[in-house]
Amino acid sequence: MKRLLSTSAAAILAATALQAEPVAQGAPNTDYQPASPDQTRAEAMQSGVTLKVEPVVEGLAHPWAVELLPDGSALITERPGRLKLYKDGAVTEISGLPEVSADGQGGLLDVALAPDFESSRTIFLSYAEPREGGNGTAVARATLAEDGASLGDVQVIFQQQPTYDGDKHFGSRIVPNDDGTLFVTLGERSDVPIRDTAQEMSHHLGKLVRISANGEVPADNPFVGQDGVMPEIYASGLRNVQAAALDADGALWTIEHGPKGGDELNHVEAGKNYGWPVISYGVNYDGSPVNEGITAQDGMEQPVYYWDPVIAPSGADFYEGELFGDWQGDLLVGAMRPPALVRLHLEGGRVTGEERLDPGIGRIRDVKVASDGTIWVVTDEDRGGLYRLSPEG
């Protein structure tokens, strides 16, 4: 078993990781050594920004996602199974949603717009779908009515297989591509031994899939035509990805929850295996090693960056705007433990700096950058909310 770090050993690891002062945080849970000096505990950045927090909608029940519409309105999902539209100061509950399994971590999860939303009114929803014998992550396509009050033409275009009777690790972010395809992140359902099947290619657990807007398999997916492999699979070996975004060059980045330590930022590429649960920079919640307690293996990708202790990441977006000085191109991540908006600066595909800002509003579940440069977030609380963030002064 990997021994836990003493306070002095933790300080040595933190000091040697980058020879620079990292963001203030607790001692790591393990003595695992990063594969490269910049893989964890990046140099702390100080932007000097004080966040101005404007409540947009309050009193929401565990909101999970926000999507900004071209007209300045917003769609908000609530995990118990409600979709709401905020527009011109009013909130409308939208009817016509599919049935969801709202137990534990399940419920109504992500919402995303089709690239041609302005003409098609097409949106996509991910959710925990109730099924005989359990549940599973599903994606539905629907048309949002012009008045924003209802959904029509609802079609389930993807169903994660197999069905499992559990209430954890559903994923699931939807990332539309300019080519008309969708990336969908899928959890491995958490429990032992089901989580080990994140390495099996005959199903969708612990995978990232790529499908067309109608749920079909793109012909250029990496495993099309391979026996025993689900053709929707784009990447494997993922734990529970609840943050995913495309950068300015169209590259896909994901952030997943680790166990006790080992939250990961990955630059996901077609056909790659990201290792869970064979390799991890975390340990089980009881402190025992994850499987063999190793952090690297041939044929498995290293995370670009990892956190130990965790930040509980959910929701991310790349900043493109003028309000926040030199933040252009930085990755903004929602953090739930401790609550924060985490800013990562990337250069050459590596993290070179980290900043944590606490708006004082609770657990940030999703992050979206608006066209005017403001940052919109939802907080996953019993009485959560939608908030707009901008620089004070």
Side-chain angles (χ1 to χ4, degrees), residues 169-171 186-190 195 198 205-207 236-241 256-264 274 276-277 280 283-285 290:
H169 291 198
F170 294 91
L186 303 168
E188 34 66 288
R189 306 310 309 273
S190 178
R195 72 179 188 185
L205 303 186
K207 310 300 191 298
S236 62
L238 301 165
R239 186 174 183 265
N240 190 27
V241 175
E256 69 180 64
H257 292 272
K260 191 174 183 179
D263 290 348
E264 291 186 4
Y274 292 84
W276 177 260
S280 175
V283 293
N284 291 314
Y285 295 115
V290 175

Side-chain angles (χ1 to χ4, degrees), residues 11 92 109 126 277-278 280 368:
T92 301
L109 303 174
S126 68
V278 176
S280 175
K368 287 292 187 300

Side-chain angles (χ1 to χ4, degrees), residues 100-107 109 127-138 158-172 185-199 203-208 237-242 256-259 276-277 285:
V100 306
S101 176
D103 294 319
Q105 296 174 4
L109 303 174
Y127 57 100
E129 178 186 59
R131 304 173 187 168
E132 183 177 352
N135 49 45
T137 302
F158 175 80
Q159 294 172 300
Q160 181 187 33
Q161 299 298 332
T163 295
Y164 179 70
D165 189 11
D167 65 359
K168 297 180 180 65
H169 291 198
F170 294 91
S172 63
T185 70
L186 303 168
E188 34 66 288
R189 306 310 309 273
S190 178
D191 298 336
V192 179
I194 191 72
R195 72 179 188 185
D196 294 316
T197 64
Q199 289 294 316
H203 59 64
H204 300 126
L205 303 186
K207 310 300 191 298
L208 186 146
L238 301 165
R239 186 174 183 265
N240 190 27
V241 175
Q242 293 185 341
E256 69 180 64
H257 292 272
W276 177 260
Y285 295 115

